[in-house]
Amino acid sequence: MDLADNWLREPNWSWNDSLEPSGYVHDWVQRINEVESVPECILYGAPLSKSSISVSGASLYPEVFRRLWKQFAAYNFEEEIDLTSYSVADAGDILMHTTDVAESHRRIEIAAYALNQTFPKSTLCMIGGDHSTTACAIRGLKRSQPNQTIGILQLDTHLDVRDPAEYGPANGTPIRQLIEGGVVRGEHIVNIGLHGYYNTKQLVEYAKRHQIKTYSMKETRKIGVSRLIEQELKRLSSETDLVYVTVDMDVLDISFAPGVPAATPGGMRTEELFEGLLSIGKSPAVKHIDFVCLDPSRDSRIEETCRIGVHAWLQFMTGRIMNKG
C-alpha cells in the first residue's frame, strides 16, 4: 500500500533504530514499510482536535504516545507475557488539513478504508485526536466491508449523541452521526462508564429512543468491569459481524487522568480500565480500537495521563496475545 496516496505519513517520532533489541516498546513496534509479513496489529494516528467542542490539544497525543514508548518494556510482568511475540507495525499519522475540519475527517475515513482493505486480517488501532475521529474511522470500516454489521463498545463519560445540526461533526456527535447516517444501529451500541452530571436528560432520552445500551459506573462496579465487558462483547458478536471499540480517556476519574479536555470526578479507576482492556483484547470479535481525547497540553509535568494512555494500549496488546493462547 502506498501510504502517501491515503494521507498517511511517517511519524515524527520513531525509535526502532537500535542494532540490538532493547526489550522496550520503541524497538518492538516497526515501521509499516519495514515489516516482512502482514502485521497482526497496525497503529495509525489521527492528530485532530480542531473539531472538539471544548478547547483541546488532543492532536498532540499521537506524537507523545510514541515518544513515551521508551519508558515501557515490551513485557507484561503481571501476566508474564512477552509482547514481542505479537507483530505491530506503525503506519504513521494521517496528514490533517490546516483549517478544513471536513477535509481532515474525509482523510481519516480514506485512511481507515485503505488500511482495512489492505490488511483485512490485522487488528487496527487508531490513536486520536478528539472523539470526532471515531465516526470517520467507522465510516471507513463500513465502506471497506459494506455488507457487514458493526457493533460499538464505547468506554466514555459521555453519550456523544449531541445534534450535528447544531454542533457540526464535532467530538460530541460521533455516535449520533453514525446512527443517523445508517452506519450503525443504536441497539448495536454499548456505552460503559457513564456517570455524574455530564449528559442532559434530552441526550439520555435520545439514547433510549435508539436503544443504545448504557451502563453507569455504579452498575458497572456491581457487575464487575471485566464481566460486563465480556458479557456485552459476547452479545455484540452474536448480533453483529465485527466490533469497534472506542476508548474515550475521559472515562477515567479526574484524579487519575487530569490530561483530558473534559475531566470529571466519579469516573473509572485506572485498574478498572486496565482490567477491561485485557478482556477487550481477548475478544476475537474486536476488529478495530481507538484511544481518543487525551490532551498532553492539560497533563501534568510528569505526564501521568499520557503514561496511562500508553499503559492502556499495552493492556489491549496483552489481551490480544492471550487470545492467541
Side-chain angles (χ1 to χ4, degrees), residues 14-246:
S14 186
W15 295 99
N16 54 1
D17 295 321
S18 305
L19 296 176
E20 295 292 333
S22 66
Y24 284 80
V25 173
H26 67 277
D27 274 332
W28 162 44
V29 179
Q30 301 297 302
R31 294 180 177 91
I32 198 166
N33 290 329
E34 295 176 354
V35 295
E36 296 179 357
S37 57
V38 176
E40 290 169 286
C41 177
I42 296 172
L43 280 170
Y44 68 106
L48 177 69
S49 53
K50 284 186 171 68
S51 38
S52 179
I53 293 172
S54 54
V55 176
S56 171
S59 58
L60 303 171
Y61 182 58
E63 182 173 322
V64 174
F65 172 76
R66 293 183 180 96
R67 178 169 55 78
L68 286 173
W69 287 350
K70 209 167 188 180
Q71 308 293 323
F72 290 83
Y75 183 79
N76 186 312
F77 183 83
E78 286 89 356
E79 305 296 337
E80 298 184 339
I81 288 177
D82 182 359
L83 301 181
T84 62
S85 64
Y86 190 74
S87 60
V88 181
D90 187 349
D93 288 341
I94 302 164
L95 179 66
M96 297 298 162
H97 193 280
T98 306
T99 57
D100 191 335
V101 170
E103 172 60 18
S104 293
H105 283 163
R106 187 185 73 87
R107 293 178 185 184
I108 296 169
E109 183 175 336
I110 289 170
Y113 168 81
L115 288 169
N116 275 290
Q117 284 288 95
T118 309
F119 303 101
K121 294 184 178 180
S122 301
T123 298
L124 300 183
C125 179
M126 183 178 74
I127 306 298
D130 69 46
H131 217 165
S132 71
T133 61
T134 295
C136 311
I138 293 176
R139 284 194 292 264
L141 179 59
K142 184 67 174 178
R143 275 184 57 198
S144 177
Q145 298 167 303
N147 297 320
Q148 294 196 314
T149 55
I150 299 172
I152 297 176
L153 177 66
Q154 179 181 0
L155 304 185
D156 206 333
T157 293
H158 306 95
L159 289 162
D160 287 344
V161 293
R162 296 192 194 193
D163 189 354
E166 181 180 355
Y167 292 94
N171 67 326
T173 67
I175 300 302
R176 187 158 175 169
Q177 288 181 54
L178 294 168
I179 291 172
E180 297 185 354
V183 180
V184 180
R185 292 163 58 182
E187 61 263 38
H188 294 155
I189 300 168
V190 181
N191 189 318
I192 295 173
L194 299 156
H195 60 272
Y197 308 91
Y198 310 107
N199 295 279
T200 65
K201 183 180 179 182
Q202 291 83 358
L203 297 180
V204 173
E205 289 172 346
Y206 178 92
K208 287 179 178 178
R209 281 199 307 276
H210 290 272
Q211 301 177 41
I212 296 173
K213 203 166 181 71
T214 61
Y215 291 93
S216 69
M217 278 310 308
K218 185 177 180 180
E219 293 174 292
T220 299
R221 289 192 174 113
K222 283 183 178 178
I223 299 168
V225 174
S226 286
R227 182 181 173 190
L228 176 57
I229 285 174
E230 288 165 8
Q231 166 192 308
E232 287 303 318
L233 284 175
K234 183 177 180 181
R235 182 183 67 82
L236 285 174
S237 65
S238 70
E239 296 176 0
T240 63
D241 297 307
L242 55 95
V243 177
Y244 186 108
V245 175
T246 178

